[in-house]
Amino acid sequence: MITAYCSNCQSVELGDLTKVETMRDDIVWIDMIEPTREEEAYVEKALGIEVPTREDLKDIEPSARLYTEGDAVFMTASLVWKAETDAPVLTDVAFILAGKRLITIRYAQPKSFALFIAALHRIPAHWRNGASLLAKLFETIIDRTAEILENSVARIDILSTHVFGDRAKKVRKPSNYLEEKLRDIAAHQRLVSKVRDSLASMSRLMTFFYNVPAVQQDRATKELCRTVSRDIQSLNEHSSYIAGNITFLLDASLGLINIEQNSIIKIFSIASVVFLPPTLVASIYGMNFEFMPELHFAQGYPYSLGLMLVSAVIPFFFFRWKGWL
């Protein structure tokens, strides 16, 4: 699907894709979403450029993601998609500057594009050219990335409360409660990892984009690129801080699980020690020797029961006094 936007921010039809025709001069942005080969051929013939294929976008070599070809500038970045779901992914998006036009090629629909399209009419008229629109689009992408990190911080804070709980309320948790929280921590780590990879690709792209002649010739666009680059650096530092918090939360959860397991083992160990003296008493009087003085003792049975009870109570209160229970 191809959507074209004019300098008045209105979307227009491109006409019959089977015919090679000159594209309207007032078109400043061509947004290609999962383009077919017919749509790629139309744009290539109309603009005189070679459109990267889906396989080309997956190339990780910098020389294949950031390059110039004639007067056209080709850039590819990885953006976070499905950030609100349990399975966030990175999607590769191509940005092409061909003259005064911007061409984007994507096989997903990151929310940043929807936000940019919704705010397109608020962009001043003198910004409505390829390089300036692309700088504004990058600004929206970084703003959206910041929003993803902010939402992640809020969810991690809630998760931290669930892990450590309210110490004043001693509510018994299910046995697998912390194990479930480990899966939530892994999901947050996966999202932050995707964000950091996206920021790394955007950082390389902005360094390349800043030196494009169309940017260098426009002071406002150049300054916006500097601002976006600073924002990327700040978000990189912030994402590192969040990753550190997630690591701490993971270590704390594993530590709490170990504490719970140790408490269970301690209970069994103390129980075995408490019942050891009564077992010894029962074993002594359970022997079948012919000559045992207590065998003819009239109160021997209650005496032995009392002795076993006392031998169990004494270790129990000793452990309580020591604070082991």
Side-chain angles (χ1 to χ4, degrees):
M1 181 178 72
I2 300 179
T3 305
Y5 296 89
C6 295
S7 56
N8 61 0
C9 301
Q10 298 296 321
S11 59
V12 296
E13 296 290 338
L14 290 180
D16 188 359
L17 297 182
T18 60
K19 298 179 180 178
V20 180
E21 57 184 41
T22 303
M23 197 168 292
R24 290 173 48 174
D25 292 335
D26 59 343
I27 292 178
V28 294
W29 179 25
I30 302 171
D31 188 21
M32 306 175 67
I33 306 174
E34 297 187 12
T36 63
R37 185 60 199 130
E38 181 185 46
E39 292 170 339
E40 291 176 347
Y42 175 84
V43 173
E44 288 177 346
K45 293 176 182 178
L47 299 181
I49 62 173
E50 185 176 349
V51 175
T53 63
R54 189 169 193 169
E55 289 71 24
D56 294 335
L57 298 184
K58 295 179 180 180
D59 201 328
I60 62 174
E61 291 294 330
S63 59
R65 296 174 72 91
L66 306 169
Y67 62 95
T68 58
E69 195 172 89
D71 294 332
V73 180
F74 296 80
M75 296 166 285
T76 303
S78 300
L79 307 184
V80 180
W81 183 38
K82 297 182 178 180
E84 287 80 10
T85 67
D86 295 332
V89 296
L90 288 178
T91 179
D92 294 316
V93 180
F95 306 91
I96 306 172
L97 282 178
K100 294 184 177 181
R101 292 189 178 95
L102 166 64
I103 301 97
T104 55
I105 305 172
R106 52 195 174 105
Y107 293 88
Q109 299 195 28
K111 190 176 179 180
S112 52
F113 276 81
L115 294 173
F116 181 71
I117 293 171
L120 198 58
H121 66 281
R122 293 198 294 267
I123 298 178
H126 63 278
W127 281 85
R128 295 171 187 171
N129 59 76
S132 298
L133 279 180
L134 184 52
K136 284 287 187 180
L137 177 56
F138 288 155
E139 182 184 34
T140 304
I141 291 172
I142 297 306
D143 289 343
R144 169 58 182 162
T145 304
E147 181 185 359
I148 292 174
L149 287 178
E150 289 174 1
N151 292 337
S152 180
V153 168
R155 291 196 295 268
I156 291 172
D157 187 55
I158 295 173
L159 179 59
S160 177
T161 303
H162 290 166
V163 169
F164 294 103
D166 189 349
R167 311 309 296 178
K169 299 178 181 178
K170 296 182 179 180
V171 181
R172 186 174 180 82
K173 304 291 180 61
S175 59
N176 62 341
Y177 181 79
L178 288 175
E179 286 81 351
E180 293 177 355
K181 297 307 172 186
L182 286 178
R183 285 189 284 269
D184 294 338
I185 293 172
H188 289 299
Q189 174 61 31
R190 184 165 55 250
L191 174 59
V192 173
S193 176
K194 300 294 184 186
V195 170
R196 297 181 73 178
D197 289 342
S198 176
L199 289 173
S201 71
M202 286 297 299
S203 179
R204 293 192 297 268
L205 184 147
M206 289 304 301
T207 301
F208 180 83
F209 180 57
Y210 182 78
N211 294 297
V212 170
V215 174
Q216 292 293 319
Q217 295 168 5
D218 191 323
R219 183 176 179 181
T221 303
K222 185 177 178 180
E223 185 60 34
L224 180 58
C225 288
R226 287 177 180 167
T227 302
V228 172
S229 296
R230 287 193 295 266
D231 290 343
I232 292 175
Q233 183 178 359
S234 298
L235 290 179
N236 262 319
E237 295 173 356
H238 189 47
S239 63
S240 298
Y241 169 75
I242 297 173
N245 285 344
I246 293 175
T247 301
F248 165 75
L249 197 57
L250 175 62
D251 293 340
S253 299
L254 293 174
L256 291 174
I257 291 175
N258 288 332
I259 290 174
E260 287 188 355
Q261 292 175 343
N262 291 337
S263 298
I264 295 172
I265 297 300
K266 182 176 70 173
I267 291 174
F268 281 107
S269 300
I270 293 176
S272 63
V273 173
V274 168
F275 287 106
L276 185 60
T279 303
L280 176 62
V281 173
S283 299
I284 291 174
Y285 290 108
M287 294 185 292
N288 296 319
F289 291 112
E290 182 178 355
F291 299 102
M292 293 184 67
E294 292 85 353
L295 288 178
H296 302 286
F297 182 36
Q299 303 298 325
Y301 180 69
Y303 169 78
S304 62
L305 290 180
L307 185 59
M308 285 188 286
L309 180 62
V310 171
S311 64
V313 169
I314 290 175
F316 175 79
F317 281 103
F318 176 76
F319 292 147
R320 287 291 298 270
W321 175 65
K322 282 291 189 179
W324 297 343
L325 282 175

